[in-house]
Coordinates of all heavy atoms in Angstrom, one line a residue:
M30 N -15.6 -22.2 19.1 CA -14.5 -21.7 19.9 C -13.6 -20.8 19.1 O -13.1 -19.8 19.8 CB -13.7 -23.0 20.3 CG -12.7 -22.7 21.3 SD -13.1 -23.2 22.9 CE -11.7 -23.0 23.8
A31 N -13.4 -21.0 17.9 CA -12.5 -20.1 17.1 C -13.1 -18.7 17.1 O -12.3 -17.7 17.1 CB -12.3 -20.6 15.7
T32 N -14.4 -18.5 17.1 CA -15.0 -17.2 17.1 C -14.6 -16.5 18.4 O -14.5 -15.2 18.3 CB -16.5 -17.3 17.0 OG1 -16.8 -18.1 15.8 CG2 -17.2 -16.0 16.9
A33 N -14.5 -17.1 19.5 CA -14.2 -16.5 20.7 C -12.8 -15.9 20.7 O -12.5 -14.8 21.3 CB -14.4 -17.4 21.9
Y34 N -11.9 -16.6 20.0 CA -10.5 -16.1 19.9 C -10.2 -15.1 18.9 O -9.1 -14.5 18.9 CB -9.6 -17.4 19.8 CG -9.5 -18.2 21.0 CD1 -10.1 -19.5 21.0 CD2 -8.9 -17.7 22.2 CE1 -10.1 -20.2 22.2 CE2 -8.9 -18.5 23.3 CZ -9.4 -19.7 23.4 OH -9.4 -20.5 24.5
R35 N -11.1 -14.9 17.9 CA -10.9 -13.9 16.9 C -10.8 -12.5 17.5 O -10.1 -11.7 16.9 CB -12.0 -13.9 15.9 CG -12.0 -15.0 15.0 CD -13.2 -14.9 13.9 NE -13.2 -16.1 13.2 CZ -12.6 -16.2 12.0 NH1 -11.9 -15.2 11.5 NH2 -12.6 -17.3 11.3
S36 N -11.4 -12.2 18.5 CA -11.3 -10.9 19.1 C -10.1 -10.6 19.9 O -9.9 -9.5 20.2 CB -12.5 -10.6 20.0 OG -12.5 -11.5 21.1
G37 N -9.2 -11.5 19.9 CA -7.9 -11.3 20.7 C -6.8 -11.0 19.8 O -6.9 -11.1 18.5
W38 N -5.7 -10.6 20.4 CA -4.5 -10.3 19.6 C -3.7 -11.6 19.5 O -3.5 -12.3 20.5 CB -3.7 -9.2 20.4 CG -4.3 -7.9 20.3 CD1 -5.2 -7.3 21.2 CD2 -4.2 -6.9 19.2 NE1 -5.6 -6.1 20.7 CE2 -5.0 -5.8 19.6 CE3 -3.5 -6.9 18.0 CZ2 -5.1 -4.7 18.7 CZ3 -3.6 -5.8 17.2 CH2 -4.4 -4.7 17.6
H39 N -3.2 -11.9 18.3 CA -2.5 -13.1 18.0 C -1.0 -12.8 17.5 O -0.8 -12.0 16.6 CB -3.2 -13.9 16.9 CG -4.6 -14.2 17.4 ND1 -5.0 -15.1 18.4 CD2 -5.8 -13.6 16.9 CE1 -6.3 -15.1 18.5 NE2 -6.8 -14.2 17.7
F40 N -0.1 -13.5 18.1 CA 1.3 -13.3 17.8 C 1.6 -13.9 16.4 O 1.1 -15.0 16.1 CB 2.2 -14.1 18.7 CG 3.7 -14.1 18.3 CD1 4.5 -13.0 18.4 CD2 4.2 -15.3 17.8 CE1 5.8 -13.0 18.0 CE2 5.5 -15.3 17.5 CZ 6.3 -14.2 17.6
I41 N 2.2 -13.1 15.5 CA 2.5 -13.6 14.2 C 4.0 -14.0 14.0 O 4.3 -15.1 13.7 CB 2.1 -12.5 13.1 CG1 0.7 -12.1 13.2 CG2 2.5 -12.9 11.7 CD1 -0.3 -13.3 12.9
D42 N 4.8 -13.1 14.2 CA 6.3 -13.3 14.1 C 7.0 -12.1 14.7 O 6.4 -11.1 15.1 CB 6.6 -13.5 12.7 CG 7.9 -14.3 12.4 OD1 8.7 -14.5 13.3 OD2 8.0 -14.9 11.3
L43 N 8.3 -12.2 14.6 CA 9.2 -11.0 15.0 C 9.3 -10.0 13.9 O 9.3 -10.5 12.7 CB 10.6 -11.5 15.5 CG 10.6 -12.5 16.7 CD1 12.0 -12.9 16.9 CD2 10.0 -11.8 17.9
V44 N 9.5 -8.8 14.2 CA 9.7 -7.8 13.1 C 10.9 -8.0 12.3 O 11.0 -7.5 11.2 CB 9.7 -6.4 13.7 CG1 8.3 -6.0 14.2 CG2 10.7 -6.1 14.7
T45 N 11.9 -8.8 12.8 CA 13.1 -9.1 12.1 C 12.8 -10.0 10.9 O 13.6 -10.1 10.0 CB 14.1 -9.7 13.0 OG1 13.6 -10.9 13.6 CG2 14.6 -8.7 14.0
A46 N 11.5 -10.6 10.9 CA 11.2 -11.4 9.7 C 10.9 -10.6 8.4 O 11.0 -11.1 7.3 CB 10.0 -12.3 10.1
I47 N 10.6 -9.4 8.6 CA 10.3 -8.4 7.5 C 11.1 -7.2 7.7 O 10.6 -6.1 8.0 CB 8.8 -8.1 7.3 CG1 8.2 -7.7 8.6 CG2 8.1 -9.4 6.7 CD1 6.7 -7.3 8.4
P48 N 12.5 -7.2 7.6 CA 13.3 -6.1 7.9 C 13.3 -4.9 7.0 O 13.5 -3.7 7.4 CB 14.7 -6.7 7.9 CG 14.6 -7.8 7.0 CD 13.2 -8.4 7.1
H49 N 13.0 -5.1 5.7 CA 13.1 -4.0 4.6 C 11.7 -3.7 4.1 O 10.8 -4.4 4.1 CB 14.0 -4.5 3.5 CG 15.3 -5.0 4.0 ND1 16.3 -4.2 4.5 CD2 15.8 -6.3 3.9 CE1 17.3 -4.9 4.8 NE2 17.1 -6.2 4.5
S50 N 11.7 -2.4 3.6 CA 10.4 -2.0 2.9 C 10.1 -2.9 1.8 O 11.0 -3.2 1.0 CB 10.6 -0.5 2.5 OG 10.8 0.3 3.5
G51 N 8.8 -3.3 1.7 CA 8.4 -4.2 0.7 C 8.4 -5.6 1.0 O 7.8 -6.5 0.3
D52 N 9.0 -6.0 2.1 CA 9.0 -7.4 2.6 C 7.7 -7.8 3.1 O 6.9 -6.9 3.6 CB 10.1 -7.6 3.7 CG 11.5 -7.5 3.2 OD1 11.7 -7.5 2.0 OD2 12.4 -7.5 4.1
S53 N 7.2 -9.0 2.9 CA 6.0 -9.4 3.3 C 6.0 -10.9 3.9 O 7.0 -11.6 3.7 CB 5.0 -9.4 2.2 OG 5.3 -10.2 1.2
L54 N 5.0 -11.2 4.7 CA 5.0 -12.5 5.3 C 3.5 -13.0 5.2 O 2.6 -12.3 5.5 CB 5.3 -12.3 6.8 CG 5.4 -13.5 7.7 CD1 6.4 -14.5 7.3 CD2 5.6 -13.0 9.1
M55 N 3.3 -14.2 4.7 CA 2.0 -14.8 4.5 C 1.7 -15.8 5.6 O 2.6 -16.7 5.8 CB 1.8 -15.4 3.2 CG 0.5 -16.0 2.9 SD -0.6 -14.8 2.4 CE -1.9 -15.8 1.7
V56 N 0.7 -15.5 6.5 CA 0.4 -16.5 7.5 C -1.1 -16.9 7.4 O -1.9 -16.2 6.8 CB 0.7 -15.9 9.0 CG1 2.2 -15.7 9.1 CG2 -0.1 -14.6 9.2
T57 N -1.5 -17.9 8.2 CA -2.9 -18.3 8.2 C -3.3 -18.2 9.7 O -2.7 -18.9 10.6 CB -3.1 -19.7 7.7 OG1 -2.6 -19.8 6.4 CG2 -4.6 -20.1 7.8
V58 N -4.3 -17.4 10.0 CA -4.9 -17.2 11.3 C -6.3 -17.7 11.3 O -7.2 -17.1 10.6 CB -4.8 -15.8 11.8 CG1 -5.3 -15.6 13.2 CG2 -3.3 -15.2 11.7
F59 N -6.6 -18.8 12.1 CA -8.0 -19.3 12.1 C -8.5 -19.6 10.7 O -9.7 -19.4 10.4 CB -8.9 -18.5 12.9 CG -8.6 -18.4 14.3 CD1 -8.1 -17.3 14.9 CD2 -8.7 -19.5 15.2 CE1 -7.8 -17.2 16.3 CE2 -8.3 -19.5 16.5 CZ -7.9 -18.3 17.0
G60 N -7.7 -20.1 9.8 CA -8.1 -20.5 8.5 C -8.2 -19.3 7.5 O -8.6 -19.6 6.3
E61 N -7.9 -18.2 7.9 CA -7.9 -17.0 7.0 C -6.5 -16.6 6.7 O -5.7 -16.3 7.6 CB -8.7 -15.8 7.7 CG -10.1 -16.1 7.9 CD -10.8 -14.9 8.4 OE1 -10.4 -13.8 8.0 OE2 -11.8 -15.0 9.2
P62 N -6.2 -16.4 5.4 CA -4.8 -16.0 5.0 C -4.7 -14.5 5.3 O -5.6 -13.7 5.0 CB -4.8 -16.2 3.5 CG -6.2 -16.3 3.1 CD -7.0 -16.8 4.3
V63 N -3.6 -14.2 6.0 CA -3.3 -12.8 6.3 C -1.9 -12.5 5.8 O -1.0 -13.3 6.0 CB -3.3 -12.6 7.9 CG1 -2.9 -11.2 8.3 CG2 -4.7 -12.9 8.4
V64 N -1.7 -11.3 5.2 CA -0.4 -10.9 4.7 C 0.1 -9.7 5.6 O -0.7 -8.8 5.8 CB -0.5 -10.4 3.3 CG1 0.8 -9.8 2.8 CG2 -0.9 -11.5 2.3
V65 N 1.2 -9.9 6.2 CA 1.9 -8.9 7.0 C 3.0 -8.3 6.2 O 3.8 -9.0 5.6 CB 2.4 -9.4 8.3 CG1 3.0 -8.3 9.2 CG2 1.3 -10.1 9.1
T66 N 3.0 -7.0 6.0 CA 4.0 -6.3 5.1 C 4.5 -5.1 5.7 O 4.0 -4.5 6.7 CB 3.4 -6.0 3.8 OG1 4.4 -5.5 2.9 CG2 2.2 -5.0 3.9
R67 N 5.7 -4.7 5.3 CA 6.4 -3.4 5.7 C 6.3 -2.4 4.6 O 6.8 -2.8 3.5 CB 7.8 -3.7 6.1 CG 8.5 -2.4 6.8 CD 9.8 -2.7 7.3 NE 9.9 -3.6 8.4 CZ 9.9 -3.3 9.7 NH1 9.8 -1.9 10.0 NH2 10.0 -4.1 10.6
D68 N 5.6 -1.3 4.8 CA 5.4 -0.4 3.7 C 6.6 0.5 3.5 O 7.6 0.3 4.2 CB 4.2 0.5 3.9 CG 4.2 1.3 5.2 OD1 5.3 1.4 5.8 OD2 3.2 1.9 5.5
D69 N 6.6 1.5 2.6 CA 7.7 2.3 2.2 C 8.2 3.3 3.4 O 9.3 3.6 3.5 CB 7.3 3.2 1.0 CG 7.1 2.4 -0.2 OD1 7.7 1.3 -0.3 OD2 6.4 2.8 -1.1
D70 N 7.2 3.5 4.4 CA 7.6 4.3 5.5 C 8.2 3.5 6.6 O 8.6 4.1 7.6 CB 6.4 5.1 6.0 CG 5.7 6.0 5.0 OD1 6.5 6.5 4.2 OD2 4.6 6.3 5.0
G71 N 8.2 2.2 6.4 CA 8.8 1.4 7.5 C 7.8 0.9 8.5 O 8.1 0.2 9.4
D72 N 6.5 1.2 8.3 CA 5.4 0.8 9.2 C 5.0 -0.7 8.8 O 5.0 -1.0 7.6 CB 4.2 1.7 9.1 CG 4.5 3.1 9.6 OD1 5.4 3.2 10.4 OD2 3.8 4.0 9.1
V73 N 4.6 -1.4 9.8 CA 4.1 -2.8 9.6 C 2.6 -2.8 9.6 O 2.0 -2.2 10.4 CB 4.6 -3.7 10.7 CG1 4.1 -5.1 10.6 CG2 6.1 -3.8 10.8
R74 N 2.1 -3.4 8.5 CA 0.7 -3.4 8.2 C 0.2 -4.8 7.9 O 1.0 -5.6 7.4 CB 0.3 -2.5 7.1 CG 0.7 -1.1 7.3 CD 0.0 -0.1 6.4 NE 0.5 1.2 6.5 CZ 0.1 2.1 7.4 NH1 -0.9 1.8 8.2 NH2 0.6 3.3 7.4
A75 N -1.0 -5.1 8.2 CA -1.6 -6.5 8.0 C -2.9 -6.4 7.2 O -3.7 -5.4 7.4 CB -1.8 -7.2 9.3
Y76 N -3.1 -7.3 6.3 CA -4.3 -7.3 5.4 C -4.8 -8.7 5.4 O -4.1 -9.7 5.3 CB -3.9 -6.9 4.0 CG -3.3 -5.5 4.0 CD1 -2.0 -5.3 4.0 CD2 -4.2 -4.4 3.9 CE1 -1.5 -4.0 4.0 CE2 -3.7 -3.1 3.8 CZ -2.4 -2.9 3.8 OH -1.9 -1.7 3.8
R77 N -6.1 -8.9 5.4 CA -6.8 -10.1 5.2 C -7.0 -10.3 3.7 O -7.5 -9.4 3.1 CB -8.2 -10.1 5.9 CG -9.0 -11.3 5.8 CD -10.3 -11.2 6.4 NE -10.1 -11.3 7.9 CZ -10.8 -10.6 8.8 NH1 -11.7 -9.7 8.3 NH2 -10.6 -10.7 10.1
C78 N -6.6 -11.5 3.2 CA -6.8 -11.7 1.8 C -8.2 -12.3 1.6 O -8.5 -13.4 2.1 CB -5.8 -12.8 1.3 SG -4.1 -12.2 1.6
L79 N -9.0 -11.6 0.8 CA -10.3 -12.1 0.5 C -10.2 -13.1 -0.6 O -9.4 -13.1 -1.5 CB -11.2 -10.9 0.0 CG -11.3 -9.8 1.1 CD1 -12.2 -8.6 0.5 CD2 -12.0 -10.3 2.4
R80 N -11.2 -14.0 -0.6 CA -11.1 -15.1 -1.5 C -12.0 -14.8 -2.8 O -12.1 -15.7 -3.6 CB -11.6 -16.4 -0.9 CG -10.6 -16.8 0.2 CD -11.0 -18.2 0.8 NE -9.9 -18.5 1.8 CZ -10.2 -18.9 3.0 NH1 -11.4 -19.1 3.4 NH2 -9.2 -19.2 3.8
R81 N -12.7 -13.7 -2.7 CA -13.5 -13.3 -3.9 C -12.6 -12.8 -5.0 O -11.6 -12.2 -4.8 CB -14.5 -12.1 -3.5 CG -15.5 -12.6 -2.5 CD -16.4 -11.4 -2.2 NE -16.1 -11.1 -0.8 CZ -16.2 -9.9 -0.2 NH1 -16.6 -8.9 -1.0 NH2 -15.9 -9.7 1.0
P82 N -13.1 -13.1 -6.3 CA -12.4 -12.6 -7.4 C -12.3 -11.1 -7.4 O -13.2 -10.4 -7.0 CB -13.1 -13.0 -8.6 CG -14.0 -14.0 -8.2 CD -14.3 -13.8 -6.7
R83 N -11.1 -10.5 -7.7 CA -10.9 -9.1 -7.7 C -11.2 -8.4 -6.3 O -11.4 -7.2 -6.3 CB -11.7 -8.4 -8.7 CG -11.4 -8.8 -10.2 CD -12.2 -8.0 -11.1 NE -12.4 -8.8 -12.3 CZ -13.3 -8.5 -13.2 NH1 -14.0 -7.4 -13.0 NH2 -13.4 -9.2 -14.2
G84 N -11.1 -9.2 -5.3 CA -11.4 -8.6 -4.0 C -10.1 -7.8 -3.4 O -9.0 -8.4 -3.5
A85 N -10.3 -6.6 -3.0 CA -9.2 -5.9 -2.4 C -8.9 -6.4 -1.0 O -9.7 -6.8 -0.3 CB -9.5 -4.4 -2.4
P86 N -7.6 -6.4 -0.7 CA -7.3 -6.8 0.7 C -7.9 -6.0 1.7 O -8.0 -4.7 1.6 CB -5.7 -6.7 0.7 CG -5.3 -6.6 -0.7 CD -6.5 -6.1 -1.5
Q87 N -8.4 -6.6 2.7 CA -9.1 -5.9 3.9 C -8.1 -5.6 5.0 O -7.4 -6.5 5.5 CB -10.2 -6.7 4.4 CG -11.0 -6.0 5.5 CD -12.1 -6.9 6.0 OE1 -12.2 -8.1 5.6 NE2 -12.9 -6.4 6.8
P88 N -7.9 -4.4 5.4 CA -7.0 -4.1 6.5 C -7.4 -4.7 7.8 O -8.5 -4.9 8.1 CB -7.0 -2.5 6.6 CG -7.7 -2.0 5.4 CD -8.5 -3.1 4.9
V89 N -6.4 -5.2 8.5 CA -6.5 -5.8 9.8 C -5.8 -5.0 10.8 O -4.7 -4.5 10.5 CB -6.0 -7.3 9.7 CG1 -6.1 -8.0 11.0 CG2 -6.8 -8.1 8.7
R90 N -6.3 -5.0 12.0 CA -5.6 -4.2 13.1 C -4.2 -5.0 13.4 O -4.2 -6.2 13.5 CB -6.4 -4.1 14.3 CG -7.6 -3.2 14.1 CD -8.3 -2.9 15.4 NE -8.9 -4.1 15.9 CZ -9.1 -4.3 17.2 NH1 -8.9 -3.3 18.0 NH2 -9.7 -5.4 17.7
C91 N -3.2 -4.2 13.4 CA -1.9 -4.7 13.6 C -1.1 -3.9 14.6 O -1.3 -2.7 14.6 CB -1.1 -4.8 12.2 SG 0.5 -5.4 12.2
A92 N -0.3 -4.5 15.5 CA 0.4 -3.8 16.5 C 1.8 -4.5 16.6 O 1.9 -5.7 16.5 CB -0.3 -3.8 17.8
V93 N 2.8 -3.6 16.8 CA 4.1 -4.1 17.1 C 4.5 -3.7 18.5 O 4.5 -2.6 18.9 CB 5.2 -3.5 16.1 CG1 6.6 -4.0 16.5 CG2 4.8 -3.9 14.7
R94 N 4.7 -4.7 19.3 CA 5.1 -4.5 20.7 C 6.4 -5.4 21.0 O 6.3 -6.6 20.8 CB 4.0 -5.0 21.7 CG 2.7 -4.2 21.5 CD 2.8 -2.8 22.0 NE 1.6 -2.1 21.9 CZ 1.3 -1.2 21.0 NH1 2.1 -1.0 20.0 NH2 0.1 -0.6 20.9
Y95 N 7.4 -4.7 21.6 CA 8.6 -5.4 22.0 C 9.2 -6.2 20.8 O 9.7 -7.3 21.1 CB 8.4 -6.2 23.3 CG 7.7 -5.5 24.4 CD1 6.4 -5.6 24.7 CD2 8.5 -4.5 25.1 CE1 5.9 -4.9 25.8 CE2 8.0 -3.8 26.1 CZ 6.7 -4.0 26.5 OH 6.1 -3.3 27.5
G96 N 9.2 -5.7 19.7 CA 9.7 -6.4 18.5 C 8.9 -7.5 18.0 O 9.4 -8.3 17.2
M97 N 7.7 -7.7 18.5 CA 6.8 -8.8 18.0 C 5.5 -8.2 17.2 O 5.1 -7.2 17.7 CB 6.3 -9.6 19.2 CG 7.5 -10.3 19.9 SD 6.9 -11.3 21.3 CE 6.6 -10.0 22.5
I98 N 5.1 -8.9 16.3 CA 4.0 -8.5 15.5 C 2.7 -9.2 16.0 O 2.7 -10.5 16.0 CB 4.2 -8.8 14.0 CG1 5.5 -8.0 13.5 CG2 3.0 -8.3 13.2 CD1 5.9 -8.5 12.1
F99 N 1.7 -8.5 16.2 CA 0.4 -9.0 16.6 C -0.7 -8.5 15.7 O -0.7 -7.4 15.2 CB 0.0 -8.6 18.1 CG 0.9 -9.1 19.1 CD1 2.1 -8.4 19.5 CD2 0.7 -10.3 19.7 CE1 2.9 -8.8 20.4 CE2 1.6 -10.8 20.7 CZ 2.7 -10.1 21.1
V100 N -1.7 -9.4 15.4 CA -2.8 -9.0 14.6 C -4.1 -9.3 15.3 O -4.1 -10.3 16.2 CB -2.9 -9.6 13.2 CG1 -1.7 -9.2 12.3 CG2 -3.0 -11.1 13.2
N101 N -5.2 -8.6 15.0 CA -6.5 -8.9 15.6 C -7.5 -8.9 14.5 O -7.6 -7.9 13.7 CB -6.8 -7.7 16.6 CG -8.1 -8.1 17.4 OD1 -9.0 -8.7 16.9 ND2 -8.1 -7.6 18.6
L102 N -8.2 -10.0 14.3 CA -9.1 -10.2 13.2 C -10.5 -9.8 13.5 O -11.4 -9.8 12.7 CB -9.2 -11.7 12.8 CG -7.9 -12.4 12.3 CD1 -8.1 -13.8 12.0 CD2 -7.4 -11.6 11.1
D103 N -10.7 -9.2 14.6 CA -12.1 -8.7 15.1 C -12.5 -7.6 14.1 O -11.7 -6.6 14.0 CB -12.1 -8.3 16.5 CG -13.4 -8.1 17.0 OD1 -14.4 -8.4 16.3 OD2 -13.6 -7.6 18.2
Q104 N -13.6 -7.6 13.5 CA -14.0 -6.6 12.6 C -14.9 -5.5 13.3 O -15.2 -4.5 12.6 CB -14.9 -7.2 11.5 CG -14.1 -8.2 10.6 CD -14.9 -8.8 9.5 OE1 -16.1 -8.4 9.3 NE2 -14.4 -9.8 8.9
R105 N -15.1 -5.6 14.6 CA -15.9 -4.5 15.2 C -15.0 -3.3 15.2 O -13.8 -3.3 15.2 CB -16.2 -4.9 16.6 CG -17.2 -6.1 16.6 CD -17.5 -6.5 18.0 NE -16.4 -7.2 18.5 CZ -16.3 -7.8 19.7 NH1 -17.3 -7.7 20.5 NH2 -15.3 -8.4 20.1
D106 N -15.7 -2.1 15.3 CA -15.0 -0.9 15.4 C -14.5 -0.6 16.7 O -15.4 -0.4 17.7 CB -16.1 0.2 14.9 CG -15.3 1.6 14.7 OD1 -14.1 1.6 14.7 OD2 -16.1 2.5 14.5
H107 N -13.2 -0.5 16.9 CA -12.6 -0.3 18.2 C -11.9 1.0 18.3 O -11.0 1.2 19.1 CB -11.6 -1.4 18.6 CG -12.3 -2.7 18.8 ND1 -12.9 -3.0 20.0 CD2 -12.5 -3.8 18.0 CE1 -13.4 -4.2 20.0 NE2 -13.2 -4.7 18.8
R108 N -12.3 2.0 17.5 CA -11.6 3.3 17.5 C -11.9 4.0 18.9 O -13.1 3.9 19.3 CB -12.0 4.1 16.4 CG -11.4 3.7 15.0 CD -11.7 4.6 13.9 NE -13.2 4.1 13.6 CZ -14.0 4.8 12.8 NH1 -13.6 5.9 12.3 NH2 -15.2 4.3 12.5
Q109 N -11.0 4.6 19.4 CA -11.2 5.3 20.6 C -11.9 6.6 20.3 O -11.4 7.4 19.4 CB -9.9 5.6 21.4 CG -9.3 4.2 21.9 CD -8.1 4.6 22.7 OE1 -7.6 5.7 22.8 NE2 -7.5 3.6 23.4
V110 N -12.9 6.9 21.0 CA -13.7 8.1 20.8 C -13.2 9.1 21.9 O -13.3 8.8 23.0 CB -15.2 7.8 20.9 CG1 -15.9 9.1 20.7 CG2 -15.6 6.8 19.9
A111 N -12.8 10.2 21.4 CA -12.3 11.3 22.3 C -13.6 11.9 23.0 O -14.5 12.2 22.4 CB -11.5 12.4 21.6
P112 N -13.4 12.0 24.3 CA -14.6 12.6 25.0 C -14.7 14.1 24.6 O -13.8 14.8 24.4 CB -14.3 12.5 26.5 CG -12.8 12.3 26.5 CD -12.4 11.7 25.2
E113 N -16.0 14.5 24.5 CA -16.3 15.9 24.2 C -15.8 16.8 25.4 O -16.0 16.4 26.5 CB -17.7 16.1 24.0 CG -18.2 15.4 22.7 CD -19.6 15.7 22.5 OE1 -20.2 16.6 23.0 OE2 -20.2 14.9 21.7
P114 N -15.1 17.9 25.1 CA -14.7 18.7 26.2 C -15.9 19.3 27.0 O -16.8 19.8 26.4 CB -13.9 19.8 25.5 CG -14.4 19.8 24.0 CD -14.8 18.4 23.8
A115 N -15.8 19.1 28.3 CA -16.8 19.6 29.1 C -16.8 21.1 29.2 O -15.7 21.7 29.2 CB -16.7 18.9 30.5
D116 N -17.9 21.7 29.3 CA -18.0 23.1 29.5 C -17.8 23.5 31.0 O -18.8 23.5 31.7 CB -19.4 23.6 29.0 CG -19.4 25.2 28.9 OD1 -18.3 25.8 28.9 OD2 -20.5 25.7 28.9
I117 N -16.6 23.6 31.3 CA -16.2 23.8 32.7 C -15.9 25.3 32.9 O -15.0 25.8 32.2 CB -15.0 23.0 33.2 CG1 -15.2 21.5 32.9 CG2 -14.6 23.3 34.6 CD1 -14.1 20.6 33.2
R118 N -16.6 25.9 33.8 CA -16.4 27.3 34.1 C -16.0 27.4 35.6 O -16.8 26.9 36.4 CB -17.6 28.2 33.8 CG -17.9 28.1 32.3 CD -19.1 29.0 32.0 NE -19.4 28.8 30.6 CZ -20.5 29.3 30.1 NH1 -21.4 29.9 30.8 NH2 -20.8 29.1 28.8
T119 N -15.0 28.1 35.8 CA -14.6 28.3 37.2 C -15.1 29.7 37.6 O -14.8 30.7 37.0 CB -13.0 28.3 37.4 OG1 -12.6 27.0 36.8 CG2 -12.6 28.3 38.8
I120 N -15.9 29.6 38.6 CA -16.4 31.0 39.2 C -15.8 31.1 40.5 O -15.9 30.4 41.5 CB -17.9 30.9 39.3 CG1 -18.6 30.6 37.9 CG2 -18.5 32.2 39.9 CD1 -20.1 30.3 37.9
A121 N -15.0 32.3 40.6 CA -14.4 32.5 41.8 C -15.1 33.7 42.6 O -15.5 34.6 42.0 CB -12.9 33.0 41.6
T122 N -15.4 33.4 43.8 CA -16.1 34.4 44.6 C -15.1 34.9 45.6 O -14.4 34.2 46.3 CB -17.3 33.8 45.3 OG1 -16.8 32.7 46.1 CG2 -18.3 33.4 44.3
P123 N -15.0 36.3 45.7 CA -14.0 36.8 46.6 C -14.5 36.6 48.0 O -15.6 36.5 48.4 CB -14.0 38.3 46.3 CG -15.4 38.6 45.6 CD -15.7 37.3 44.9
R124 N -13.5 36.4 48.9 CA -13.8 36.2 50.3 C -14.1 37.6 51.0 O -13.5 38.6 50.6 CB -12.6 35.6 51.0 CG -12.4 34.2 50.7 CD -11.4 33.6 51.5 NE -11.2 32.2 51.3 CZ -10.5 31.4 52.0 NH1 -9.8 31.8 53.0 NH2 -10.4 30.1 51.6
S125 N -15.0 37.5 51.9 CA -15.2 38.8 52.6 C -14.2 38.9 53.7 O -13.7 38.0 54.3 CB -16.6 38.6 53.3 OG -17.6 38.4 52.4
A126 N -13.7 40.1 53.8 CA -12.6 40.4 54.8 C -13.2 40.6 56.2 O -14.2 40.8 56.5 CB -11.8 41.6 54.4

């Protein structure tokens, strides 16, 4: 059942919990430790903490909506692909008088 909910967005906390650059928040989502931090630019980012030795934190999709922080642990690629511009040519034919 937990696998079905991994693909959804999960509420973590309010952005007021990490007001300053460098502040972080450690939470557990479905048994996985996740660190939510505010970087030097003021952006909120989330990382999955790997349990392997010397493992680098894996970025997690993170969104801030209405002052609330949400994360999504789904590892599938959800980047939006821009459609290729269609080769549209407008051909105008003059009307006969």
Side-chain angles (χ1 to χ4, degrees):
M30 183 106 172
T32 305
Y34 289 109
R35 281 181 188 272
S36 62
W38 289 93
H39 305 286
F40 172 74
I41 299 301
D42 207 339
L43 299 175
V44 289
T45 56
I47 50 173
H49 307 290
S50 296
D52 288 350
S53 63
L54 179 67
M55 180 81 164
V56 295
T57 303
V58 181
F59 292 114
E61 294 190 32
V63 175
V64 175
V65 180
T66 184
R67 187 177 290 269
D68 63 7
D69 294 334
D70 297 331
D72 295 331
V73 176
R74 302 194 186 275
Y76 299 94
R77 177 182 289 142
C78 299
L79 301 177
R80 295 187 178 133
R81 291 180 249 152
R83 297 187 209 162
Q87 180 183 8
V89 175
R90 292 188 298 153
C91 180
V93 176
R94 298 288 183 261
Y95 305 107
M97 298 178 286
I98 303 169
F99 295 90
V100 297
N101 191 327
L102 299 179
D103 192 8
Q104 295 181 10
R105 293 178 287 183
D106 190 9
H107 289 281
R108 287 179 282 169
Q109 292 183 353
V110 178
E113 294 182 18
D116 187 19
I117 301 174
R118 295 182 186 170
T119 305
I120 301 173
T122 55
R124 290 188 176 186
S125 302

